[in-house]
Amino acid sequence: MTTSSGENSTCSLSQLAPVEAVLFDVDGTLCDTDPLHYCAFREMLQEIGFNGGVPIDEEFFIKNIAGRHNDDIASILFPDDYERGLKICDDKEVIFRRLAKEQLKPVNGLYKLKKWIEDRGLKRAAVTNAPRPNAEQMISTLGLSDFFHTVVLGSDCEHAKPFPDPYLKALEILNISKNHTFVFEDSVSGIKAGVAAGMPVVGLMTANPAHLLMGAKPTFIIKDYEDPKLWATLEELDRIGGVTKGAT
């Protein structure tokens, strides 16, 4: 049975038992950064006269930018001058890091979930399309530098998300099976990557609406890490003994 949005109505991860690891995207998954990226791109693109100087709107941002690697963004926004596009994306990241330093906040319930994972000794990795300076700043600002066993960047792989390569690399580094691992993601691109890597993905509605996320086929979607749906799922794993006790 499925809900009207297409997700599994039981929201179960029991097929993963025993769970060995949890993988996280960064932007929009650990912290709600899409508004900051949107502001940074809007400011940068208007400054250079993109789209005749008319500011981009959120619909354009979601369709063409959100969740994508900068290489892909440069190709989409500047198909006739890719190198210029890359330079503009780099300049935009400077604006983003300034905004993030002042405004970065964790997704609700993140530290409650962090404790649940640590208490059970699960392996964990951050898997992101963000540039390294962005990823390191966000993870450090959130106090998660010692939480993640590894950080995998899209630029470290032959293909970034939405290809599965970054998630497959995380599995390899952590020496874990996709059959005992699940993913948290907030974008269509990221959900597609996790699904393509063969893992269940829990989608977060930090920036994108449910109907958009469901098109990428997550196992289920949640509002944030306080969502009762998530905790019912985790409690089910505990009840059936579906969590491997490993070394933190």
Side-chain angles (χ1 to χ4, degrees):
M1 178 180 176
T2 58
T3 65
S4 59
S5 62
E7 63 181 323
N8 188 315
S9 61
T10 61
C11 303
S12 178
L13 296 173
S14 60
Q15 76 277 14
L16 298 177
V19 174
E20 299 174 347
V22 185
L23 309 181
F24 289 84
D25 174 47
V26 176
D27 275 297
T29 301
L30 300 178
C31 40
D32 185 8
T33 50
D34 265 8
L36 306 184
H37 284 293
Y38 172 57
C39 288
F41 266 112
R42 184 181 170 96
E43 177 181 328
M44 176 60 66
L45 292 176
Q46 186 175 15
E47 183 179 307
I48 65 170
F50 181 83
N51 193 35
V54 178
I56 63 169
D57 58 20
E58 290 190 35
E59 181 180 357
F60 179 93
F61 175 81
I62 290 171
K63 180 180 179 181
N64 297 286
I65 296 174
R68 297 182 184 272
H69 192 274
N70 276 351
D71 290 356
D72 297 325
I73 296 170
S75 295
I76 292 169
L77 300 186
F78 300 92
D80 299 324
D81 196 344
Y82 176 69
E83 293 302 323
R84 180 182 181 228
L86 287 178
K87 175 63 167 60
I88 289 168
C89 286
D90 286 344
D91 292 342
K92 167 261 164 185
E93 300 302 353
V94 175
I95 299 174
F96 168 79
R97 287 192 289 274
R98 170 173 53 81
L99 294 173
K101 185 177 181 180
E102 301 165 354
Q103 303 178 36
L104 197 71
K105 295 180 180 179
V107 171
N108 288 340
L110 176 64
Y111 298 119
K112 179 181 178 182
L113 176 61
K114 172 180 179 286
K115 185 177 187 304
W116 185 90
I117 292 169
E118 289 177 325
D119 285 351
R120 287 149 185 82
L122 302 180
K123 294 183 179 180
R124 52 264 186 186
V127 183
T128 177
N129 273 353
R132 183 174 296 280
N134 290 23
E136 290 178 348
Q137 178 181 328
M138 287 184 281
I139 290 170
S140 174
T141 300
L142 293 169
L144 298 175
S145 297
D146 294 331
F147 173 68
F148 290 113
H149 295 118
T150 190
V151 177
V152 177
L153 306 178
S155 57
D156 291 338
C157 306
E158 184 175 356
H159 300 290
K161 304 175 192 177
F163 290 90
D165 303 36
Y167 280 114
L168 295 176
K169 182 166 185 174
L171 293 174
E172 181 182 357
I173 292 171
L174 294 178
N175 191 28
I176 52 175
S177 167
K178 65 181 177 62
N179 297 322
H180 301 288
T181 305
F182 66 99
V183 174
F184 286 104
E185 271 282 0
D186 76 298
S187 69
V188 170
S189 172
I191 293 172
K192 286 182 176 179
V195 171
M199 291 176 285
V201 180
V202 179
L204 280 91
M205 294 185 289
T206 45
N208 295 303
H211 73 272
L212 194 64
L213 297 181
M214 289 311 302
K217 304 187 184 310
T219 300
F220 61 95
I221 54 177
I222 57 176
K223 179 182 178 182
D224 54 32
Y225 298 118
E226 296 283 3
D227 197 316
K229 190 187 305 182
L230 171 64
W231 288 97
T233 302
L234 299 183
E235 287 164 9
E236 178 195 27
L237 284 172
D238 280 338
R239 188 169 60 251
I240 66 173
V243 179
T244 295
K245 299 289 184 178
T248 58

